[in-house]
Amino acid sequence: MSSGKVVVCGGGGFIGGHLVADLIRQGHRDIRCIDLKPFDEWYQRFPEVENLSIDLQQLDACRTAAKDAHIIYNLAADMGGMGFIENNRCLCMLSVLINTHLLMAARESGVERYFYASSACVYNADKQRDPNVTALKEEDAYPAMPEDGYGWEKLFSERMCRHFREDFGLKTRVARYHNVYGPHGTWTGGREKAPAAICRKVIQAKMTGRHQIEIWGDGHQTRSFMYIDDCLAGTQTILKSDIVEPLNLGSSELVSINQLVDIVESIADIKLARRYDLSAPKGVNGRNSDNTLIKKYLNWEPGIRLRTGLEKTYAWIWDEMTRIPPSQW
């Protein structure tokens, strides 16, 4: 347990909210939680911690965030699923201001450790053209050809963390998240990722009796998906470790989008007619996490099976959808 203040930036978001909850469960009480969104839009909110709604793209706001901080988790970014990333490249790039200003403020405040949430979107696109993908090793980020916009911002911010560590002695740690999902996440509105989107579409078909589903792309594109509990465990372990290089943090359980739909249909006990939108954003053809390094360094890797996590996610989204009118789906 930290003996000083823990700051969670992006704490009103999906991963950040779960991280704050986990820190509270561990007995942490000196927690500062920060997000740009108004409080009523936070995914989870805990009155027993310090909650601030401020814009971390601004240096003064980052100084407020870092004041008296012992540990900073930077999970803050303007992001979403592939539909958002492909259509909002400039907004994604502007998140570079958050990490840059937070690093500056962390250095000024003498922060002990700083965690940066990077992404598998940093990886070279040439290595992700085949659905039968070879799992991505950390070294595959270079030569650089990341996801346009969002991926470039993440790769640049990784380097900024490295140089603040090398030049100024700030203990920075970096994890490359691979498709995190779970309850209390975005499930509608355009920023949701594939697991939540598929759960919503299947539930909608079940509730309305219209037994069909639209799938973005041809359904053959492959991914791995990491349940939120594995993400929390890996994030905190990497922060506390002596590993200075960016590490993959993702499941190595590879599935196609068609297989993802199969699993959710099985959970819902339904079969749907599939319609493929080949013009929709679908991202790279194949991406999976090579966990060789994290197993070597930490003797651990994410291990929660996709079906197990999807059952919990499906149940939560079902509850959300049944408590609001269909017009808000």
Side-chain angles (χ1 to χ4, degrees), residues 9 13 23 35 68 72 92 99 107 118 126 131 160 173 182 193 204 212 248 279 293 296-297 305 308 315 318 324 327:
C9 298
L23 291 169
D35 207 281
D68 301 322
I72 292 179
C92 290
N99 191 59
R107 181 194 174 205
S118 187
D126 278 347
M160 187 68 83
R173 302 292 183 263
K193 295 185 178 181
Q204 188 168 359
Q212 60 180 349
N248 278 335
S279 66
L293 272 187
K296 173 185 173 183
Y297 288 141
R305 300 294 296 177
T308 301
W318 175 278
I324 62 174
S327 60

Side-chain angles (χ1 to χ4, degrees), residues 239-253:
L239 171 84
K240 296 170 186 173
S241 76
D242 294 327
I243 305 157
V244 297
E245 65 212 81
L247 273 186
N248 278 335
L249 184 52
S251 169
S252 59
E253 182 184 354

Side-chain angles (χ1 to χ4, degrees), residues 155-166:
L155 194 62
F156 175 86
S157 292
E158 284 187 8
R159 301 294 286 196
M160 187 68 83
C161 288
R162 171 181 170 176
H163 295 311
F164 264 75
R165 175 177 54 82
E166 291 175 340

Side-chain angles (χ1 to χ4, degrees), residues 10-219:
F14 164 50
I15 300 174
H18 278 284
L19 177 59
V20 173
D22 195 51
L23 291 169
I24 292 170
R25 282 193 294 269
Q26 294 174 38
H28 291 273
R29 290 295 175 263
D30 193 2
I31 301 170
R32 178 178 294 142
C33 186
I34 299 168
D35 207 281
L36 174 63
K37 295 184 288 292
F39 290 136
D40 61 359
E41 295 179 15
W42 286 28
Y43 292 41
Q44 299 183 71
R45 186 177 168 203
F46 304 92
E48 63 266 44
V49 308
E50 179 186 3
N51 294 304
L52 300 176
S53 176
I54 55 178
D55 184 0
L56 291 172
Q57 290 191 18
Q58 308 300 318
L59 179 56
D60 284 347
C62 290
R63 286 174 170 145
T64 298
K67 186 177 184 341
D68 301 322
H70 180 67
I71 288 170
I72 292 179
Y73 290 94
N74 179 16
L75 311 175
D78 201 351
M79 61 84 68
M82 193 50 60
F84 179 82
I85 287 173
E86 288 198 2
N87 293 307
N88 296 276
R89 292 188 174 102
C90 186
L91 287 179
C92 290
M93 287 292 287
L94 285 171
S95 294
V96 75
L97 295 172
I98 299 174
N99 191 59
T100 302
H101 287 150
L102 263 179
L103 284 167
M104 293 169 66
R107 181 194 174 205
E108 290 174 6
S109 294
V111 167
E112 174 63 24
R113 292 202 173 219
Y114 181 101
F115 175 87
Y116 178 65
S118 187
S119 166
C121 288
V122 302
Y123 284 113
N124 189 313
D126 278 347
K127 295 182 179 291
Q128 303 172 76
R129 299 191 184 281
D130 188 345
N132 301 308
V133 65
T134 300
L136 293 159
K137 293 178 164 54
E138 284 79 358
E139 65 197 47
D140 292 332
Y142 295 94
M145 193 189 298
E147 184 84 41
D148 198 9
Y150 181 71
W152 275 109
E153 184 275 322
K154 289 296 186 184
L155 194 62
F156 175 86
S157 292
E158 284 187 8
R159 301 294 286 196
M160 187 68 83
C161 288
R162 171 181 170 176
H163 295 311
F164 264 75
R165 175 177 54 82
E166 291 175 340
D167 293 0
F168 303 132
L170 179 62
K171 292 179 181 175
T172 58
R173 302 292 183 263
V174 175
R176 292 174 179 161
Y177 289 166
H178 288 247
N179 295 310
V180 187
Y181 74 99
H184 298 286
T186 303
W187 57 271
T188 189
R191 290 182 184 244
E192 67 275 18
K193 295 185 178 181
I198 297 301
C199 286
R200 184 196 75 240
K201 291 177 180 181
V202 171
I203 292 169
Q204 188 168 359
K206 193 175 178 76
M207 286 182 172
T208 62
R210 294 193 293 270
H211 289 185
Q212 60 180 349
I213 185 171
E214 179 185 88
I215 297 172
W216 287 8
D218 60 13

Side-chain angles (χ1 to χ4, degrees), residues 221-292:
Q221 62 270 37
T222 54
R223 296 290 187 277
S224 67
F225 300 97
M226 173 173 56
Y227 190 64
I228 183 63
D229 291 0
D230 274 339
C231 178
L232 298 178
T235 293
Q236 294 172 77
T237 303
I238 289 170
L239 171 84
K240 296 170 186 173
S241 76
D242 294 327
I243 305 157
V244 297
E245 65 212 81
L247 273 186
N248 278 335
L249 184 52
S251 169
S252 59
E253 182 184 354
L254 186 71
V255 294
S256 69
I257 299 302
N258 278 328
Q259 290 172 322
L260 178 65
V261 176
D262 289 342
I263 296 171
V264 179
E265 285 179 337
S266 174
I267 292 168
D269 192 23
I270 196 172
K271 285 298 291 183
L272 304 176
R274 302 183 184 186
R275 182 168 62 84
Y276 296 93
D277 183 354
L278 301 183
S279 66
K282 70 181 186 69
V284 297
N285 288 325
R287 176 183 292 152
N288 194 16
S289 179
D290 184 305
N291 289 343
T292 303

